[in-house]
C-alpha cells in the first residue's frame, strides 16, 4: 500500500485522471492510517516497552480523559514484567472491562488494581454503577466470553461479582515472569 501510494504521488496526469489519482491516494493514506491504528491496538508497544503495570496506567489515563470517568488506580510502579501472553491477556481484559464500565454501568468512577496474590496475578476492575440486571448477567455476553477464553488459555479465570453498588470483575492468572518459557 505504501508503494502504491508513493507511485501515485509520482504520477503526472491532468483533468479527471488527476481527480481520480488524488482520491485513490487519499484512500490509500486513510487505509495505511487505519492499519497503523489497528496494529497498535492488537499489540500495544507500551506492553513490551514498559510492562503491564505501566502500560495499564497509560491505558487508564487515556481512557479517563476520553470518557471523563474518575479512575482510582492501585498498581505498583515497579510491578514485575511477565511473559507476553499473560500481559496481553490481562491488558485485553482491562480494555474490555473498562469499556463495559463506560457503556453499561452508569458509574462516574471505577477502581482498577493489579497485584500479586501468591503465585497468581489478580487484575480487579470495579465500578459503582447500576450493577448487573439479573443473575443471568453473570454469564455475560461476547466481551465476557472473550475474557474467559483469554484467561482459560493461560490456566486462569475471570469472575463477576454483583457489588452494592456496581460490579467487580476479577481476572486471575498464574504469574509467569518475563524470562519464563514462552516469554
Amino acid at each position: 500500500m505504501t508503494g502504491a501510494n508513493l507511485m501515485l504521488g509520482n504520477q503526472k496526469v491532468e483533468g479527471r485522471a488527476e481527480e481520480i489519482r488524488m482520491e485513490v491516494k487519499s484512500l490509500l493514506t486513510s487505509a495505511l492510517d487505519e492499519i497503523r491504528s489497528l496494529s497498535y491496538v492488537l499489540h500495544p508497544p507500551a506492553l513490551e516497552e514498559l510492562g503491564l503495570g505501566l502500560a495499564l496506567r497509560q491505558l487508564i489515563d487515556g481512557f479517563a480523559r476520553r470518557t471523563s470517568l474518575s479512575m482510582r488506580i492501585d498498581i505498583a510502579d515497579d510491578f514485575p514484567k511477565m511473559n507476553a501472553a499473560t500481559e496481553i491477556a490481562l491488558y485485553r481484559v482491562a480494555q474490555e472491562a473498562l469499556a463495559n464500565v463506560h457503556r453499561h454501568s452508569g458509574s462516574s468512577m471505577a477502581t482498577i488494581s493489579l497485584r500479586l496474590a501468591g503465585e497468581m496475578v489478580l487484575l480487579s476492575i470495579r465500578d459503582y454503577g447500576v450493577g448487573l440486571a439479573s443473575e443471568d448477567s453473570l454469564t455475560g455476553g461476547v466481551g465476557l466470553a472473550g475474557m474467559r477464553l483469554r484467561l482459560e488459555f493461560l490456566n486462569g479465570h475471570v469472575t463477576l461479582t454483583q457489588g452494592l453498588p456496581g460490579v467487580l470483575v476479577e481476572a486471575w492468572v498464574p504469574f509467569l515472569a518475563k524470562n519464563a518459557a514462552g516469554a
Side-chain angles (χ1 to χ4, degrees):
M1 291 176 104
T2 300
N5 203 10
L6 290 171
M7 289 174 65
L8 279 173
N10 292 330
Q11 297 297 310
K12 304 291 182 211
V13 292
E14 297 177 12
R16 178 78 177 124
E18 176 62 10
E19 291 175 27
I20 292 170
R21 182 189 74 83
M22 291 302 293
E23 186 173 336
V24 171
K25 188 166 176 29
S26 175
L27 288 170
L28 283 170
T29 299
S30 294
L32 285 166
D33 289 344
E34 289 291 323
I35 289 170
R36 277 188 209 97
S37 295
L38 182 61
S39 67
Y40 180 86
V41 167
L42 289 175
H43 186 75
L47 277 177
E48 198 166 310
E49 295 166 15
L50 305 172
L52 181 63
L54 293 174
L56 282 176
R57 283 184 171 281
Q58 278 187 356
L59 171 72
I60 295 161
D61 289 344
F63 185 81
R65 273 193 314 277
R66 289 187 304 278
T67 63
S68 299
L69 277 172
S70 174
M71 301 294 295
R72 284 193 223 147
I73 304 170
D74 182 13
I75 300 172
D77 288 339
D78 62 347
F79 194 85
K81 290 186 178 181
M82 297 178 287
N83 76 355
T86 301
E87 289 192 343
I88 290 169
L90 288 172
Y91 189 88
R92 297 292 178 228
V93 168
Q95 283 180 313
E96 181 64 32
L98 289 172
N100 287 341
V101 168
H102 179 63
R103 280 192 298 257
H104 305 298
S105 77
S107 181
S108 62
M109 179 178 42
T111 302
I112 185 165
S113 68
L114 179 68
R115 65 183 178 90
L116 293 175
E119 295 182 8
M120 301 290 282
V121 177
L122 171 60
L123 171 69
S124 302
I125 299 95
R126 169 105 160 70
D127 71 66
Y128 303 89
V130 297
L132 300 170
S134 67
E135 286 299 313
D136 292 338
S137 300
L138 291 172
T139 58
V142 174
L144 182 58
M147 287 187 226
R148 283 192 171 115
L149 286 173
R150 284 180 188 283
L151 297 175
E152 286 172 4
F153 179 73
L154 299 168
N155 296 315
H157 65 278
V158 64
T159 60
L160 263 68
T161 306
Q162 181 81 283
L164 295 172
V167 174
L168 171 64
V169 176
E170 292 182 315
W172 294 86
V173 291
F175 174 77
L176 293 173
K178 180 140 179 106
N179 296 331

